[in-house]
Amino acid sequence: QRRDMGGHVVVVCCIYQITNKHFSSISLLRSMKTIFFVGLFLSLAVITLCDGSASMTDEEYQKEQRELQTLLNWAIEQTATKALPSSPGMDKLEIKRKAEALKSLDKKWLDAVWRSDADHMKALLSVILSDNSTVEDRGDALDRLEEFVEDLNNAIDLHSINGLVPVLHILSDNSSDPYMILSKAAHVVATAAQNNYKVQEQVVENGGLDVLLHQWDKHSGNQSEAASFLLAVSAVVRSFPPGRRLFIESDGLQRLERSIINGTDSRLLKRSLVLLCSILMDEPAALGSLLQNGAVRLRGLTSALFRHLFNAESDQDLQEKIKALMQAVSTADGQAAVLLKEFAHNSGHPDLIFESHRSDRFSPGSNVHSTTEQGSEQPSEPLLLGI
């Protein structure tokens, strides 16, 4: 991109000159000649600078940038002041005005080309954290910041430039920001942490999971709003064992259970199902933490899953996520597999049967296992997955 800058200078200056209706054909030829040599010189300078930038120190890099800026200013002066005077019908004031406009345009363009992503993120953070910024400006800056942290390296750099903690602070308990700002901040965290172990670690170490759980609880009365914070929680917890353990210790599974049982918002319900399924697949023993009250609690969760599964308003995607969680639950515990099969039969859908790979953990009297004459336990006939 930087190598093309010299060529862009030629194009911009040509358009500027050609579109000026006051130019005569003679002055145009003279201008084009000036532009050609200036553009060629700039192109060679930019290529030389880019080729050598890899081995430059910071001080040398800044020096080269200043020299390039000086060179660009000289080119603008040549095309805007020396070529323009021969054009009829233009006074010096008009020439100066056009030259300043062109100089301002090229400076903005040069800044956009040369500034690093880290510099852009710093500029956005200054808007986000400024007391003088409007809610709309802060919201737009958070949207743009989310776009930057889609890149894994930028996501990691967000913490390096001291940007992650301020974003998490927006989500803290004493924040007075409106939901729109809180939601956008949560989406920045979610995008940065998604499948990024380093960022997940940074969020957990800086108390980010706690503030996200707090916002999830705070907005539980509005399930559509709560879904935004659950998205960030899921991004921090999934495939990250330290985050998963902290989530379980913070009664996260119970929160998911409530969201599934009481869920009416499709986004919240789907995200709850996906996160719980992911946790049970990675750590089946976590089901013991969720079902501490045994069969009573298991029946409540199972009943909710079947209710959502056969709800006429449930789309295919939601149904597939419910079935995936049912399989994860039944695989984690034998009693759950039997209970799911019982619910399937009683609901008139005996074709929904589930496979169990684990013994019952919660009820010693469960009929999931049979006892041989020698007294050893043997698993009953496996249940085949028919979903």
Side-chain angles (χ1 to χ4, degrees):
Q1 184 179 18
R2 295 173 180 174
R3 290 174 181 268
D4 293 336
M5 187 167 64
H8 291 167
V9 171
V10 176
V11 173
V12 170
C13 294
C14 284
I15 294 174
Y16 178 80
Q17 297 279 43
I18 293 172
T19 55
N20 193 315
K21 63 181 180 180
H22 297 287
F23 288 166
S24 66
S25 58
I26 297 177
S27 65
L28 179 60
L29 289 174
R30 185 183 299 114
S31 300
M32 291 296 291
K33 182 177 179 180
T34 302
I35 292 168
F36 174 78
F37 286 107
V38 170
L40 179 61
F41 186 51
L42 274 175
S43 299
L44 294 174
V46 171
I47 292 173
T48 302
L49 178 60
C50 292
D51 285 341
S53 61
S55 58
M56 289 181 182
T57 64
D58 289 342
E59 183 177 352
E60 291 172 337
Y61 176 77
Q62 294 296 331
K63 180 181 178 182
E64 291 289 352
Q65 272 198 306
R66 290 193 297 270
E67 291 177 353
L68 182 60
Q69 178 67 62
T70 302
L71 183 62
L72 180 61
N73 291 340
W74 175 83
I76 293 172
E77 291 173 1
Q78 297 303 309
T79 58
T81 59
K82 293 185 178 181
L84 290 177
S86 61
S87 304
M90 294 184 66
D91 55 24
K92 292 183 178 180
L93 183 62
E94 180 70 8
I95 293 171
K96 183 177 180 181
R97 186 185 65 80
K98 290 182 178 291
E100 289 297 326
L102 184 59
K103 183 176 180 180
S104 175
L105 174 64
D106 280 293
K107 187 177 186 304
K108 292 180 180 179
W109 173 46
L110 186 65
D111 287 342
V113 171
W114 281 99
R115 291 175 69 184
S116 66
D117 285 355
D119 290 333
H120 282 292
M121 291 194 294
K122 288 178 182 178
L124 292 172
L125 285 166
S126 66
V127 175
I128 295 169
L129 303 176
S130 173
D131 294 334
N132 297 324
S133 299
T134 65
V135 173
E136 290 74 15
D137 289 340
R138 296 179 67 206
D140 291 341
L142 283 166
D143 286 337
R144 292 183 59 195
L145 183 61
E146 183 184 357
E147 293 176 1
F148 274 104
V149 297
E150 288 176 357
D151 180 270
L152 294 180
N153 293 324
N154 287 343
I156 295 173
D157 288 343
L158 181 63
H159 182 60
S160 302
I161 63 174
N162 300 317
L164 179 61
V165 173
V167 172
L168 292 174
H169 183 71
I170 294 175
L171 298 163
S172 63
D173 185 28
N174 57 0
S175 174
S176 59
D177 288 311
Y179 165 73
M180 187 211 29
I181 297 297
L182 297 175
S183 174
K184 290 179 183 293
H187 276 78
V188 170
V189 176
T191 302
Q194 185 74 32
N195 298 320
N196 194 324
Y197 188 95
K198 185 65 176 178
V199 177
Q200 291 172 318
E201 185 178 51
Q202 292 169 353
V203 172
V204 171
E205 288 178 352
N206 287 278
L209 185 57
D210 292 333
V211 299
L212 290 169
L213 290 174
H214 167 74
Q215 291 295 341
W216 182 10
D217 292 339
K218 183 178 178 181
H219 291 82
S220 58
N222 187 322
Q223 294 189 9
S224 177
E225 294 182 358
S228 296
F229 305 105
L230 177 54
L231 176 67
V233 170
S234 182
V236 174
V237 170
R238 292 181 65 185
S239 303
F240 180 56
R244 182 172 64 242
R245 287 192 293 270
L246 180 59
F247 178 74
I248 294 173
E249 293 169 0
S250 303
D251 293 331
L253 297 181
Q254 286 73 21
R255 288 180 169 90
L256 291 175
E257 180 191 27
R258 289 194 297 269
S259 294
I260 293 172
I261 293 176
N262 303 319
T264 56
D265 180 80
S266 177
R267 286 193 311 154
L268 180 67
L269 189 54
K270 288 179 181 179
R271 290 170 183 174
S272 300
L273 291 165
V274 169
L275 180 54
L276 182 54
C277 182
S278 173
I279 291 174
L280 293 181
M281 291 177 66
D282 291 338
E283 193 171 337
L287 189 61
S289 173
L290 177 61
L291 303 178
Q292 291 174 353
N293 293 331
V296 174
R297 193 161 190 170
L298 181 58
R299 283 184 176 276
L301 178 61
T302 304
S303 176
L305 290 175
F306 274 88
R307 173 167 49 85
H308 291 309
L309 181 62
F310 299 116
N311 188 329
E313 296 181 358
S314 298
D315 57 34
Q316 183 177 358
D317 181 49
L318 177 58
Q319 292 174 345
E320 292 301 323
K321 287 177 170 55
I322 293 172
K323 292 175 182 179
L325 178 58
M326 286 179 171
Q327 180 57 61
V329 170
S330 65
T331 301
D333 181 72
Q335 182 186 3
V338 172
L339 188 58
L340 285 167
K341 183 179 180 182
E342 176 187 328
F343 266 84
H345 179 78
N346 293 338
S347 64
H349 296 84
D351 54 317
L352 295 176
I353 49 181
F354 306 89
E355 182 179 7
S356 174
H357 299 297
R358 296 177 177 270
S359 61
D360 175 30
R361 302 174 190 276
F362 310 115
S363 177
S366 171
N367 59 356
V368 177
H369 297 81
S370 59
T371 305
T372 63
E373 294 181 358
Q374 288 78 13
S376 61
E377 288 189 342
Q378 298 292 334
S380 58
E381 182 177 356
L383 304 176
L384 300 178
L385 176 63
I387 58 175

